[in-house]
Amino acid sequence: MFTDVAETVASHLDTAQSLTVITGAGVSAPSGVPTFRGPQGLWKNHRPEQLATPEAFASDPEMVWEWYNWRRELVAECQPNAAHRILAKWSSAAIPATIITQNVDGLHERAGTTGVIRFHGSIWELRCWKECDAGVIAWRNTAVPLDPLPPRCPYCNELARPGVVWFGESIPTDVLTKSLQATRCDVFLTIGTSAVVHPAASLLHSAKQHGAFTSEINLEGTPSSGDVDLAIQGSADTVLVEIDRLRSK
Ligand code: BJW
Ligand code: ZN
């Protein structure tokens, strides 16, 4: 079905000395995790721009925490899919792929990928909303459901917040630096992202400037489709299975 285009990507991978992949919500969609945008993409009928902001949290922390708690419960029931598993395999290959993800669900790690660059943080981490000295460093909390809700900072007892990057917040400097370094690669794949959120969507352009062969895998066209060398329309899991099958071992 995708054999000709999958073959093109596979042959670039066979000769590449470096591979970087950026993933978005579409990679976790086959696992049952809802995407943000699109007809089926509403998180509990809220737009991400209404809830994923420091302003929303400041005005109604209970509502924002209820949304995150609901998502944690949902993700805890989901399993990594074939796309996560193939990327995990590629990340530990002789020429290891660097995986940058915008997803906060932790499914790449659960599939066995180590060293994932988490561009927008993790829903399994919390930090202090008031940024007290000890609480600026995120801590892991995998309790489902969260109790108490909203959770508190263990150091100062103020509100805790999800360890994610909201609109208007900067990507942590080390994460941005590592990601930009990873765009110096031979092949750059952008998979399952609507490519509307920056600076994540801009990494593709950086990779192109460094001369990478670029390809997009998505169910539909995105603002990046015209910019990549090869846009493949299809589901992330199906297409990656086909590319992996066609790679020479
Ligand atoms: C499938 C599939 C299947 C389905 N197979 N595919 C430049 C231009 C314009 C604006 C800006 C700019 N630079 C910065 C901005 C502002 C802003 C921004 O980008 N706004 C735009 C939306 C207009 N960016 C920021 O604020 C960022 N910070 C920043 O720039 O700091 C500097 C700064 C500071 C202060 C002032 C100004 C600048 C931070 C962005 C943080 C985004 N955070 C979120 C929430 C994270 C926490 C959480 O999860 O709750 O990140 S929003 C949400 O969008 C989440 C996602 O990671 C992100 C991207 O979404 P994604 O993954 O692409 O999902 P969808 O749903 O959009 O798309 C899914 C795709 O999958 C679709 O295309 C489907 O077709 C496809 N699909 N099933 C393959 N089976
Ligand atoms: Zn604190």
Side-chain angles (χ1 to χ4, degrees):
M1 184 172 26
F2 311 104
T3 304
D4 48 346
V5 279
E7 231 159 37
T8 304
V9 176
S11 71
H12 278 277
L13 291 177
D14 283 345
T15 54
Q17 292 305 305
S18 50
L19 161 65
T20 297
V21 180
I22 181 159
T23 65
V27 165
S28 291
S31 294
V33 183
T35 59
F36 289 91
R37 300 169 183 84
Q40 264 96 52
L42 291 180
W43 281 99
K44 247 190 165 184
N45 301 322
H46 291 295
R47 286 159 49 82
E49 290 80 358
Q50 290 170 328
L51 285 174
T53 67
E55 292 77 15
F57 191 83
S59 77
D60 197 342
E62 285 80 12
M63 182 184 70
V64 173
W65 261 122
E66 203 246 321
W67 184 54
Y68 279 95
N69 185 53
W70 174 76
R71 289 172 59 191
R72 286 163 60 107
E73 289 184 335
L74 192 151
V75 168
E77 295 295 316
C78 295
Q79 301 304 322
N81 63 61
H84 297 109
R85 286 193 293 274
I86 283 168
L87 293 175
K89 175 178 154 188
W90 292 0
S91 74
S92 60
I95 296 170
T98 300
I99 311 296
I100 304 169
T101 190
Q102 296 171 81
N103 300 342
V104 296
D105 54 34
L107 289 176
H108 282 299
E109 289 88 343
R110 278 173 56 194
T113 304
T114 53
V116 178
I117 302 178
R118 286 201 300 257
F119 208 77
H120 292 154
S122 169
I123 48 165
W124 305 111
E125 290 185 356
L126 275 57
R127 14 182 240 274
C128 180
W129 169 242
K130 293 292 177 191
E131 302 186 341
C132 70
D133 284 351
V136 286
I137 299 164
W139 64 90
R140 200 165 160 78
N141 175 329
T142 54
V144 170
L146 278 160
D147 182 21
L149 190 67
R152 318 291 307 186
C153 171
Y155 307 105
C156 71
N157 208 35
E158 291 283 353
L159 275 177
R161 59 160 285 176
V164 300
V165 181
W166 283 326
F167 285 111
E169 294 185 320
S170 300
I171 308 303
T173 311
D174 60 323
V175 170
L176 195 55
T177 303
K178 272 195 274 183
S179 302
L180 285 169
Q181 274 165 359
T183 64
R184 293 179 179 276
C185 57
D186 293 336
V187 176
F188 184 91
L189 305 180
T190 172
I191 311 181
T193 173
S194 56
V196 294
V197 174
H198 292 269
S202 312
L203 294 175
L204 166 69
H205 301 105
S206 176
K208 277 170 68 81
Q209 276 169 7
H210 295 308
F213 169 81
T214 57
S215 181
E216 174 185 72
I217 301 168
N218 199 303
L219 283 181
E220 54 190 39
T222 77
S224 290
S225 303
D227 296 332
V228 291
D229 294 307
L230 184 59
I232 303 178
Q233 281 208 350
S235 188
D237 50 350
T238 320
V239 177
L240 285 176
V241 165
E242 187 66 354
I243 294 171
D244 187 61
R245 188 179 72 79
L246 294 163
R247 279 184 82 170
S248 55
K249 303 295 169 202

